[in-house]
Amino acid sequence: SPSPNGHGTHVAGTLGGTLIGVASNVKLVALKALNCNAAGKMSYAIEAIDYAIKDCKEKTTGDCVINLSLGGGYHRVINEAVKEAHKAGITVVTAAGNDNGDACEQSPGSAPEAINVGSTTSADLKAGSSNWGSCVDIFAPGDSIISSWNNGDNSYAILSGTSMAAPHVAGAAACYLGQNPGASPSEVASALINTATNGVISGLTGASPNKLLYIGESLATTTTTSSTTTTTTPTTTTTTTTTPTTTTTTTTTALPPTTTTTTSPPATTTTTTPATTTTTTTPTTTTTTTTPTTTTTTTTSTRGLYDS
């Protein structure tokens, strides 16, 4: 079901949507750890991760991926939760955050066990808001990404941010596990990082890795073998997380997905029918933009969960 906030729906669509998902045969499991304003307590996010670990062990016969398109300031306990998921054999993908600052100051992305993802534009530039530095492992497209929206089955929106970049990597991880069942989280991370395109990203800051996610034809080919779950091959289950309704999740409030454009394809309004799986929409569509502080809700500090 769509998330009341829309952010989770958008992330889930990029990861495993039928028409626009990276891993369209993956099984998506939704966990809600934030309210409709994308705000919540750190403890809720930790509980969501714990639940995902248990759910993967008890209900899945294959591999699992957790996508965490959320975060906040550095927090040791949620980083420990990521470590526990890693120990349980679950690949964890995180969004690096949108402060144009050092990603090592954010959690859960600063957890060493996570695959932490920065954002790029269609011109292979580091997105202006994307965090950077040695705690980023890889970059992926995160600017003006079209994906599912929460207005209905044929509704889409354009959002920007590292929340949009992370599910590209989580989907690639699911595809890799589909081709390599039983691969450890470290093996998945190494495979994605080692096959990334090197040296093409401009505008990088600090010790950021110049590695752009690459999904080759063989990785993108989905092979499904029997299974009671829909997955990228024998049994790859992907748990996505982000605000109200995509799986495993977050910290205290949401920073921006910078640009929000909603379009419902079958309507006369702006439609970008992802029948072509493109990430472009005509600029003449009906665009609703949120201010730079879009889905930002604060709880205890000026920096909270990033929406993206």
Side-chain angles (χ1 to χ4, degrees):
S1 65
S3 70
N5 177 272
H7 177 273
T9 303
H10 195 279
V11 170
T14 298
L15 199 162
T18 302
L19 296 178
I20 51 178
V22 175
S24 58
N25 273 355
V26 81
K27 177 186 177 184
L28 294 169
V29 179
L31 297 181
K32 180 177 178 179
L34 301 177
N35 63 27
C36 296
N37 295 317
K41 296 180 180 179
M42 187 75 73
S43 59
Y44 299 165
I46 295 168
E47 287 177 21
I49 295 172
D50 290 344
Y51 179 91
I53 294 170
K54 182 179 179 182
D55 187 68
C56 182
K57 286 180 179 177
E58 295 180 354
K59 298 181 182 178
T60 306
T61 54
D63 302 294
C64 297
V65 174
I66 293 175
N67 181 80
L68 292 164
S69 286
L70 49 88
Y74 180 84
H75 195 284
R76 181 186 59 81
V77 180
I78 196 167
N79 283 11
E80 286 292 327
V82 170
K83 183 177 182 178
E84 289 304 310
H86 184 274
K87 285 165 60 177
I90 300 174
T91 299
V92 181
V93 179
T94 55
N98 305 311
D99 297 321
N100 189 24
D102 188 347
C104 294
E105 297 176 1
Q106 299 277 339
S107 288
S110 58
E113 296 79 12
I115 303 175
N116 201 24
V117 186
S119 171
T120 60
T121 70
S122 59
D124 292 341
L125 292 168
K126 182 190 86 67
S129 62
S130 175
N131 285 350
W132 42 262
S134 60
C135 288
V136 175
D137 296 298
I138 194 169
F139 285 83
D143 184 62
S144 298
I145 303 300
I146 183 171
S147 186
S148 312
W149 199 236
N150 63 346
N151 294 336
D153 291 345
N154 295 306
S155 179
Y156 299 86
I158 298 173
L159 298 182
S160 295
T162 55
S163 275
M164 286 64 252
H168 284 91
V169 176
C175 288
Y176 181 81
L177 285 165
Q179 301 288 334
N180 302 274
S184 71
S186 296
E187 290 169 336
V188 174
S190 294
L192 298 184
I193 292 168
N194 291 338
T195 58
T197 304
N198 290 310
V200 296
I201 305 170
S202 303
L204 291 180
T205 310
S208 305
N210 200 320
K211 289 184 172 291
L212 181 63
L213 176 69
Y214 174 73
I215 303 176
E217 187 176 343
S218 61
L219 187 60
T221 301
T222 307
T223 58
T224 44
T225 346
S226 65
S227 174
T228 53
T229 58
T230 331
T231 82
T232 304
T233 215
T235 48
T236 304
T237 299
T238 297
T239 346
T240 71
T241 114
T242 26
T243 113
T245 78
T246 16
T247 255
T248 299
T249 210
T250 84
T251 51
T252 24
T253 18
L255 290 185
T258 351
T259 331
T260 311
T261 312
T262 91
T263 96
S264 32
T268 47
T269 30
T270 68
T271 110
T272 51
T273 46
T276 51
T277 320
T278 63
T279 54
T280 48
T281 64
T282 48
T284 51
T285 57
T286 322
T287 307
T288 324
T289 60
T290 55
T291 68
T293 50
T294 45
T295 326
T296 302
T297 56
T298 46
T299 49
T300 52
S301 68
T302 54
R303 171 186 299 160
L305 278 166
Y306 33 85
D307 236 12
S308 37

